[in-house]
Amino acid sequence: MHKEPAVLANISARVGSIGDNQLGCWYSYRASKSALNMLTRTLALEWQRRHPNAIVVAPHPGTTATDLSAPFRQCSA
């Protein structure tokens, strides 16, 4: 059993939330972030039992206005 304090952070996105999907769009990105969110949640539950000194989180920093996100900004409004 790992006894030292530890933190695992997966950078995620709000668009990966199934409950918060009000606009559609971003299909592939949503699917990948949903998978990351489920993996993080599952790991957090397991580590809660096996490694009580560990913290597992998936913060989302928000959508950044970049050339990559430009075609999808209409879905964010």
Side-chain angles (χ1 to χ4, degrees):
M1 177 180 279
H2 184 74
K3 298 185 190 236
E4 297 295 320
V7 176
L8 174 74
N10 291 324
I11 303 300
S12 189
R14 188 173 179 178
V15 296
S17 169
I18 293 170
D20 193 30
N21 183 352
Q22 303 297 315
L23 299 170
C25 300
W26 297 57
Y27 299 103
S28 298
Y29 190 72
R30 282 186 192 277
S32 68
K33 291 304 182 179
S34 293
L36 177 64
N37 292 347
M38 180 56 75
L39 177 119
T40 303
R41 175 69 177 140
T42 301
L43 188 63
L45 290 168
E46 182 179 337
W47 281 17
Q48 186 176 23
R49 292 187 310 271
R50 293 183 178 202
H51 309 292
N53 291 328
I55 297 169
V56 180
V57 296
H60 66 84
T63 303
T64 304
T66 65
D67 290 342
L68 179 67
S69 67
F72 304 103
R73 285 191 211 133
Q74 72 223 20
C75 294
S76 300

